[in-house]
Amino acid sequence: MSDDLNHSTDLHRGVPAWVIAAGAVFGMVAISGLVVAHNASTQTTEAQQSFDTRVKTMQTDFTGQIATLQQHEAQVDTTNAGLQSDLGVVAKRLRLTQGDLRKARDEAEAIRADDQQKIAEVDSAAKTGLATKASTDDVKGVDGKVDTVRTDLSGTQNDLKMARSELGTLIARNHEDIDQLRHLGERDYIEFTIDTKNKPQKVGAFMVDLIGTNPNKKRFSVALIVDDARIEKKNLPINEPIFFHQGNDRRPLELVVNTVAKDKVTGYISVPKTAGTQAASGD
């Protein structure tokens, strides 16, 4: 037993103290290294997770922005399509309006040419009649016819001095002018006097409602009731036709006011001859 103790003591004495200290230091360094490595690994994992989260957030935001831009682009395309459609409608209406104006001018020119032709035919017939009659009685008869023709020609020339509407119709300014237009036999004329406001009055087959008058400026406002439709015209001057249509007849009818007084107007409605029989009969 004593020998064993002595042997153990000899072994301890044989190991230097610095070796034991170095081993302790090395162990501590190793443990510190493991701790540092573990901390570094943990921080790296957390940083990677934070980076991944930020990338996903950015991707989500970017996707949302792209969707918003695409939606805005679709709205812009829809708005542009609507504007182009409206522009097409305006252009089409403008073409129709220009076409109607050209048609009205052509009709007015045709009416003027027809009037000139009638005058030339009457003048030619008078001259031919004078040239073919030889006897005194015939000459006297022809003289009478010539006087009548001259009267008709004079009346027709006076008619041509009347103002014409944009559709080429002659505009009567008073009762005498209306009689001259009746003599031409192309249209029927229904004269009227309305002396009550806001009380529709029957004129031929139509109803005329006087809305108001301005005698100082010679202007008026009326409403026409045609085929159960009410047509209002406001602040119009005298002797300016109001054109309207009845049924399916495309030829225009016209209302003209010649004089304006306080709550009173006088004028006429002009109706194409073939369409005028029914309208005049409703008087």
Side-chain angles (χ1 to χ4, degrees), residues 6-22:
N6 290 331
H7 180 69
S8 176
T9 302
D10 291 338
L11 288 175
H12 283 291
R13 287 178 181 178
V15 178
W18 66 268
V19 172
I20 296 172

Side-chain angles (χ1 to χ4, degrees), residues 65-86:
Q65 291 176 2
I66 291 178
T68 301
L69 290 175
Q70 290 175 341
Q71 183 179 5
H72 179 69
E73 183 179 1
Q75 292 175 349
V76 170
D77 292 340
T78 302
T79 302
N80 288 337
L83 291 175
Q84 291 176 355
S85 177
D86 293 342

Side-chain angles (χ1 to χ4, degrees), residues 15 24 44 55 57 68 88 134 136-137 146 149 170-171 195 202 204 242 276:
V15 178
T44 301
V55 168
T57 302
T68 301
T136 302
D137 292 337
V146 169
V149 169
L170 292 168
I171 302 174
D195 54 7
K202 189 172 184 180
I242 300 173

Side-chain angles (χ1 to χ4, degrees), residues 190 192-194 196 198-211 221-233 242 244-246 253-255 265 268-269 271 279 282-283:
I190 311 166
F192 63 82
T193 298
I194 301 176
T196 305
N198 301 320
K199 187 177 180 180
Q201 178 175 317
K202 189 172 184 180
V203 179
F206 316 104
M207 298 296 291
V208 180
D209 186 6
L210 178 61
I211 299 175
S221 299
V222 296
L224 267 167
I225 295 91
V226 182
D227 295 335
D228 296 328
R230 183 180 177 90
I231 306 170
E232 289 193 1
K233 298 293 182 179
I242 300 173
F244 61 99
H245 293 84
Q246 181 184 27
L253 295 81
E254 58 185 21
L255 180 146
V265 293
Y268 65 90
I269 291 180
V271 185
D283 200 359

